[in-house]
Amino acid sequence: MKNFISVNDIGPWRDAVREALEIKADRFAHQHLGRNRTLLMIFFNSSLRTRLSTQKAAMNLGMNVMVLDVNQGAWKLETERGVIMDGDKAEHLLEAIPVMGSYCDMIGVRSFAGLTDRDADYEERVIQQFIRYSGRPVFSMEAATRHPLQSFADLITIEEHKPVERPKVVLTWAPHPKALPQAVANSFSEWMNVTDYDFVITHPHGYELDPSFVGNARVEYDQRKAFEGAHFIYAKNWSAYRSPNYGKVLSTDRSWTVDTEKMNLTDNAYFMHCLPVRRGMIVTDEVIESPRSLVIPEAANREISAQTVMKRILESL
Ligand code: AN0
Ligand code: CP
């Protein structure tokens, strides 16, 4: 594997899950692979899980790890080419990226959508520049339109818990006070599309995702109807994708919050969320604390998805 930015980079999904579960059963089996190899993690945005799980996965593989929070202590970076740099940005990404590449063997990048310029976000300008100019394999730790390490961990979690061969999986929008990217929802949808699951997306009118990510999912505007017979409820907030409302919060309607009464419409479904989650907005305390909540094992599988991806990158060096 050279780069990892979407489901297209993982190959057959069943093989990837099988490899991930082998790694989970014996996570120090490939310590030799990472010897004298260095991972550089670059964060343009905050993180708890991605930072810790990816670092842990790299250590399991015997790698050395360096972490840079671009907004804390590094020079402020210009990302657009052709600008006169007379403002507060001291360095251009076009120098910073090859310099970063010179100190490591692979780079993980977290760079969220700006949510103002849809074209710029959906062209994935920042991570594409890392791929082009770093000279190193690059993997996404959530880019503007996708969060593939999360989706891979979600898939592993579903495979570990599914009560039937082809479960009904429902991605539901839920309210949040701030504008969030579509990346987690896009990416989850993209990964569900490669499986043979029964996959349904539910959201209020105005929250339609980019059709290229929705793929063959069924879209159901009635959340209760969508929940009927579900085996997994995957909650997430996202801001509007469609113009002219791109990046806007159109609703904070708490009738979309996932609660026990709605979970009772499902086929004893598991509850999933990538975290961080706002209780009382996305989900009630009762649902997230229930025995059917998978949020903690789901987060734990982030170590496994990261390790599988980095193992494959190491094998290709
Ligand atoms: C981010 C998002 O929605 O993309 C990160 C999720 C993993 N969430 C927040 O910023 C709350
Ligand atoms: N789920 C996830 O990516 O969490 P962090 O933003 O804390 O890394």
Side-chain angles (χ1 to χ4, degrees), residues 46 49-50 110 112-113 141-144 147 150 176 178-185 236-238 273-278 302:
S46 306
R49 278 143 291 275
T50 303
R110 167 163 284 202
F112 288 178
M141 301 195 299
E142 185 172 338
H147 193 359
Q150 181 65 49
H176 191 281
K178 298 213 164 109
L180 298 186
Q182 297 93 37
V184 171
K236 184 71 185 82
N237 173 269
W238 60 89
H273 188 280
C274 65
L275 307 181
V277 73
R278 294 203 181 215
R302 290 292 309 277

Side-chain angles (χ1 to χ4, degrees), residues 123-174:
E123 283 166 23
E124 288 286 6
R125 285 189 193 159
V126 173
I127 199 154
Q128 287 299 341
Q129 291 193 76
F130 272 89
I131 289 171
R132 196 190 267 175
Y133 299 116
S134 70
R136 301 293 174 200
V138 171
F139 65 90
S140 167
M141 301 195 299
E142 185 172 338
T145 64
R146 295 178 177 89
H147 193 359
L149 285 177
Q150 181 65 49
S151 312
F152 186 14
D154 299 334
L155 177 62
I156 296 165
T157 310
I158 292 172
E159 283 292 300
E160 287 178 312
H161 291 88
K162 67 182 186 183
V164 293
E165 190 51 36
R166 294 182 58 240
K168 178 175 176 182
V169 178
V170 178
L171 167 63
T172 181
W173 181 93

Side-chain angles (χ1 to χ4, degrees), residues 22 54 58 67 89 96 102-104 107 140 207 247 259 272 308 313:
E22 282 166 18
T54 309
V67 186
K89 298 193 174 147
S102 73
Y103 303 137
C104 65
I107 306 185
S140 167
Y207 278 100
D259 61 14
M272 297 180 72
T308 308
I313 292 174

